[in-house]
Amino acid sequence: MKELALMWSVSLVLLLPLIIFAFRLLVFKNSSVGHFLFISYPVMQMQRGESMITFHGLTNLFPDMLNNFMVGVSVYLSGSDSLPWNSVPGYGAVFPPVLLLSLIGLFNNKSNLSGELLTFKNIVRVAFISYIPSLFIVTSTLNHWNFLNILLILLAGFGLHDLYTSLSPRVFTIIFFTLIAVFSIFVSQHYFNNDSYFVKEWGNGHKYYQTMSKKETKELQKDNIEKWAKHPINQ
């Protein structure tokens, strides 16, 4: 308990500037330079506040939070947040069938792991649970929930290990290579065709942009520095 109390105290001191900054930006809609006691916080563009859900008063607070969470769940189950630069539609940040492995890794307590790996698995579980509250207030896109992606992938690894130790080698091999085959077919169909977002938006970029010489690059950098000096962002 003493170690936990020390950790909480240190974390509060380290996170206090970020908490004040986020509260000021999101609640008071103030993005200018400001000071609070010994803390100074910088300018931030207001559009970054769009990473949080829009609050429609206390009456709609919990419905808005619940709706954001449910939309996020549907994003992961469908594998798309309608933003093709975030992920391949249908694949998502984590391939939807792999989410089953994440659930196994999260809830299965019967695993043949060493003491160190079991400790690490429990840490990942705690991290997953502690991240859940933010899923209600952070807008549900795959890049806004990026820390969740890391946890889901780690849990999927533990789930795959649990299957490996509980199933017969033949059944496990069939499941394993089926996942790889489905993934390979899906990615091949999406990437290797002219309708892909990446082909349309990026593949033809060389037609519109020309490589600058070293002299042109230096002149552009000098021009940008002079503009910034005249009109700094904090002014």
Side-chain angles (χ1 to χ4, degrees), residues 167-201:
L167 298 176
S168 65
R170 182 177 180 180
V171 174
F172 176 81
T173 302
I174 293 174
I175 295 175
F176 182 74
F177 283 102
T178 298
L179 282 175
I180 294 178
V182 172
F183 168 74
S184 300
I185 294 172
F186 181 90
V187 172
S188 298
Q189 289 180 343
H190 182 82
Y191 277 102
F192 301 107
N193 66 79
N194 292 326
D195 293 326
S196 169
Y197 169 83
F198 301 95
V199 173
K200 289 181 178 180
E201 299 295 329

Side-chain angles (χ1 to χ4, degrees), residues 2-208:
K2 291 182 179 179
E3 293 178 354
L4 285 175
L6 177 61
M7 181 192 69
W8 290 335
S9 301
V10 172
S11 298
L12 180 61
V13 173
L14 294 176
L15 293 175
L16 184 60
L18 179 60
I19 294 173
I20 296 173
F21 174 68
F23 185 81
R24 189 168 178 266
L25 176 69
L26 299 172
V27 177
F28 294 105
K29 308 297 181 182
N30 190 338
S31 63
S32 62
V33 175
H35 304 278
F36 178 79
L37 298 180
F38 56 91
I39 299 172
S40 298
Y41 26 81
V43 169
M44 188 174 186
Q45 295 180 351
M46 283 304 299
Q47 55 262 38
R48 296 306 300 165
E50 296 176 0
S51 299
M52 306 286 284
I53 65 173
T54 301
F55 297 97
H56 298 95
L58 293 178
T59 304
N60 299 315
L61 176 61
F62 290 106
D64 288 343
M65 293 170 61
L66 182 60
N67 178 69
N68 184 72
F69 177 80
M70 296 307 297
V71 170
V73 172
S74 66
V75 164
Y76 277 82
L77 292 179
S78 64
S80 175
D81 59 1
S82 300
L83 301 174
W85 52 85
N86 279 346
S87 67
V88 179
Y91 173 72
V94 182
F95 197 37
V98 176
L99 293 175
L100 294 174
L101 296 177
S102 301
L103 291 176
I104 294 174
L106 179 63
F107 293 108
N108 185 30
N109 293 317
K110 298 179 181 179
S111 55
N112 299 319
L113 297 173
S114 64
E116 292 81 3
L117 280 177
L118 185 59
T119 299
F120 179 68
K121 180 179 181 180
N122 289 331
I123 291 174
V124 174
R125 282 173 163 177
V126 171
F128 178 84
I129 295 172
S130 64
Y131 193 72
I132 289 177
S134 66
L135 304 183
F136 290 90
I137 59 174
V138 178
T139 50
S140 49
T141 64
L142 292 172
N143 63 321
H144 288 167
W145 289 15
N146 53 14
F147 187 67
L148 180 66
N149 304 333
I150 300 173
L151 299 176
L152 290 174
I153 292 171
L154 290 172
L155 290 172
F158 284 114
L160 189 64
H161 178 271
D162 293 341
L163 287 183
Y164 175 78
T165 57
S166 60
L167 298 176
S168 65
R170 182 177 180 180
V171 174
F172 176 81
T173 302
I174 293 174
I175 295 175
F176 182 74
F177 283 102
T178 298
L179 282 175
I180 294 178
V182 172
F183 168 74
S184 300
I185 294 172
F186 181 90
V187 172
S188 298
Q189 289 180 343
H190 182 82
Y191 277 102
F192 301 107
N193 66 79
N194 292 326
D195 293 326
S196 169
Y197 169 83
F198 301 95
V199 173
K200 289 181 178 180
E201 299 295 329
W202 294 345
N204 297 321
H206 63 280
K207 296 181 180 179
Y208 308 103

